[in-house]
Amino acid sequence: MELTPRLALAAELCRGCRSVIDVGCDHAYLCLTLAERGAERAYASDIRPGPLAAARAHIRACGMEDRVQAVLCPGLEAFGPEDADTIVICGMGGEMIASILEKAPWTREGRHRLVLQPMTCGDRLRKWLREAGYAIEQEVLAREGRRLYTLLQARGNGAGDSCGGENFYLFTQKLTEDPLFPSFVGQQREKYQKARAGKALAGLDTSYEDAVLRRLEEFCHGA
């Protein structure tokens, strides 16, 4: 089964999992791929009946009903700590991902690998993870067309990564090692330049954007 670059990288971060929960599974492609690669149990979870019906159809078509189960529920509400060793939450806003984890405090125990892919507010998700006691163990980039996606691998009961105020939670130190990092910095600069211009036009304070742009400029010049 061919995955998008984003989901293919998520699958790589799940390597070796025995049981997995994919929250917001859409069509269950990731769960089916992981089952094909050796996962003993995969739960394809979604809050929407339509995508879950499509997931069930794909599961049946692949003959994977014995290993992949579709579950209708919000977030992780139908699950407990014994259901999986790996939890995937991809394609949601960073604040939504944080909210799902906050409602499942057992994910902080350190027993579960978390694979997270925020579509927006990645900075807020990194900040929340650090303050809530999760360690960001890895961060990598996937490219789809012109867009870059960040994927985090995290675990509870950790000291966190050096992604604090000095980087404005825009990225972890791990991400600076990714070959796509220079492109990521360029896109972030463009984003914050537009934000600064909009604020300046409205007569608003731009000190935060100025500070972020100075930090990004440092990385552009080999910081």
Side-chain angles (χ1 to χ4, degrees):
M1 184 173 295
E2 187 172 350
L3 299 176
T4 64
R6 178 175 61 93
L7 288 183
L9 195 49
E12 284 300 308
L13 293 176
C14 294
R15 183 180 292 275
C17 69
R18 297 182 63 187
S19 52
V20 62
I21 301 166
D22 181 12
V23 179
C25 67
D26 198 16
H27 290 63
Y29 294 142
L30 181 61
C31 282
L32 289 166
T33 297
L34 294 174
E36 288 173 351
R37 293 182 183 179
E40 297 171 6
R41 170 62 60 181
Y43 296 98
S45 167
D46 208 293
I47 194 173
R48 299 166 297 169
L52 205 66
R56 288 193 177 100
H58 282 116
I59 294 166
R60 285 195 301 271
C62 292
M64 287 279 190
E65 296 98 325
D66 59 330
R67 294 167 66 188
V68 182
Q69 179 180 343
V71 179
L72 182 67
C73 79
L76 290 163
E77 290 186 11
F79 303 101
E82 305 303 325
D83 289 319
D85 57 48
T86 301
I87 297 164
V88 180
I89 312 177
C90 290
M92 300 184 194
E95 291 176 315
M96 175 62 73
I97 293 173
S99 174
I100 289 171
L101 294 175
E102 189 170 28
K103 292 174 183 175
W106 47 269
T107 61
R108 298 183 189 177
E109 297 170 1
R111 297 164 54 194
H112 304 85
R113 170 174 40 181
L114 309 177
V115 176
L116 314 173
Q117 185 268 301
M119 298 294 282
T120 60
C121 301
D123 53 343
R124 297 182 189 180
L125 175 60
R126 292 182 195 88
K127 185 174 188 293
W128 182 87
L129 288 168
R130 185 178 178 90
E131 293 177 350
Y134 295 81
I136 299 176
E137 299 176 332
Q138 184 61 277
E139 184 170 16
V140 289
L141 287 160
R143 184 193 291 277
E144 292 185 9
R146 189 177 179 276
R147 181 154 187 183
L148 294 173
Y149 297 94
T150 58
L151 290 95
L152 313 174
Q153 181 180 302
R155 191 175 294 271
N157 197 26
D161 186 275
S162 57
C163 63
E166 72 277 8
N167 293 332
F168 299 91
Y169 296 99
L170 298 175
F171 51 86
T172 63
Q173 197 64 31
K174 300 279 194 308
L175 195 64
T176 65
E177 303 165 8
D178 193 287
L180 291 171
F181 182 70
S183 297
F184 173 81
V185 169
Q187 290 192 6
Q188 291 296 302
R189 285 180 70 201
E190 182 180 333
K191 170 185 171 180
Y192 280 93
Q193 284 168 350
K194 288 180 179 178
R196 188 196 183 285
K199 278 191 170 184
L201 190 63
L204 300 175
D205 178 30
T206 63
S207 57
Y208 177 75
E209 287 73 19
D210 291 337
V212 169
L213 287 167
R214 282 195 298 272
R215 183 58 173 152
L216 291 172
E217 195 69 27
E218 293 174 6
F219 275 93
C220 286
H221 292 88

